[in-house]
Amino acid sequence: MSIAAVGKYLKDTPLRSLATLGRSGELAVNILKYTVSDTIALRLPLEEVATQMWKLLKVTALPALLMAVPIGAEVSVQVGGIMNQVGANSLAGAASGLGVVGQGAPMAAGLLMSGAAASAIASDLGARAIREEIEAIRVMGIDPVQRLVVPRFIAMVAIAPMLCIVIVAAGVAAGLVISANVNDVVPGSFWQSFGSFATPTDLVFSVLKSVIFAALVVLIASLRGLEAKGGPKGVANAVNASVVLSVFCIFMTNLVVSQIQMMFFPARLA
């Protein structure tokens, strides 16, 4: 690669990145605008929202349950081994509370949505884009954001807390079973330490994280899908980009929200 090509790349890439951020911000504003205005005017396509919720739940509910069990079991096995060595088996519930509720559940929900749900949204909108359905909708005077993106946004935000709660319940239950049958922890002791360290604030922030992740996933997948071009290869590229960018944004957002939680709601014995 020549020096001129490297210089052109270093010059153009930041500009394209800023342009993408600008389009993302514009799309986010339009989504919020149509969500609020259509809700107030009672124009929300509830049937379409319900259909999208069902489609997204079909591709995320069972994987969420399957992911939750090993997450809870792994926390109990890894932490239980250390606790056995120091004679602190009674704190097994605290590990499940802080590990599964605080970090495991929202991250698992976010990764599921970025993998299964984001690919479904990006592929659907991308296929419509390369068939020029998006342009046809615009020609008819209909905003594709209002018609196609908003129902998916509402559906994703609605199912995100469900996925998070399912993962919390299944993960903690798996941790209890492993702790009681492998590490010989008394169930009452497990729940006592769980209730002492895991607070309602942790659950609220866990659900809040999942909702933020859902909004990010829909925003990224919708933008990539609507801008897909170049035939089937373009759709595949849009799906791949939406998944990768969603995962990256979820990790960064989780870091920021966790730091905010620690600043204003520090962990302490309940």
Side-chain angles (χ1 to χ4, degrees), residues 116-127:
S119 59
I121 293 174
S123 61
D124 182 21
L125 296 180

Side-chain angles (χ1 to χ4, degrees), residues 3 6 21 39 46 81-82 88-89 99 104 127 131 145 169-170 173 185 187 192 203 205 228 232 248 254 260 266 269:
I3 297 178
V6 173
L21 288 175
T39 301
L46 298 180
I82 299 175
N89 288 348
R131 293 197 302 264
V145 175
V185 177
Q192 183 179 11
L203 183 60
F205 269 92
F248 173 77
N254 180 68
I260 293 174
L269 187 65

Side-chain angles (χ1 to χ4, degrees), residues 46-63:
L46 298 180
E47 183 178 354
E48 177 68 13
V49 171
T51 301
Q52 293 300 324
M53 286 181 63
W54 175 242
K55 287 182 179 179
L56 295 174
L57 278 174
K58 284 194 300 184
V59 299
T60 55
L62 182 59

Side-chain angles (χ1 to χ4, degrees), residues 26-35 38 125 134 137-138 142-153 222 226:
E26 182 182 7
L27 179 60
V29 170
N30 288 333
I31 291 175
L32 293 176
K33 179 184 70 174
Y34 285 125
T35 300
D38 289 356
L125 296 180
I134 303 298
I137 291 176
R138 289 194 176 100
I142 301 172
D143 193 334
V145 175
Q146 182 180 20
R147 179 64 182 86
L148 300 175
V149 178
V150 169
R152 289 163 173 79
F153 173 80
S222 299
L226 292 173

Side-chain angles (χ1 to χ4, degrees), residues 175-197:
L176 173 61
V177 171
I178 296 296
S179 298
N181 293 280
V182 176
N183 298 326
D184 297 325
V185 177
V186 178
S189 176
F190 179 94
W191 288 118
Q192 183 179 11
S193 62
F194 177 86
S196 297
F197 285 87

Side-chain angles (χ1 to χ4, degrees), residues 103 107 209 213 249-261:
Q103 298 295 330
M107 286 300 298
K209 286 180 184 178
F213 297 161
C249 291
I250 284 172
F251 274 98
M252 297 303 296
T253 305
N254 180 68
L255 175 62
V256 173
V257 176
S258 296
Q259 289 300 316
I260 293 174
Q261 179 183 358

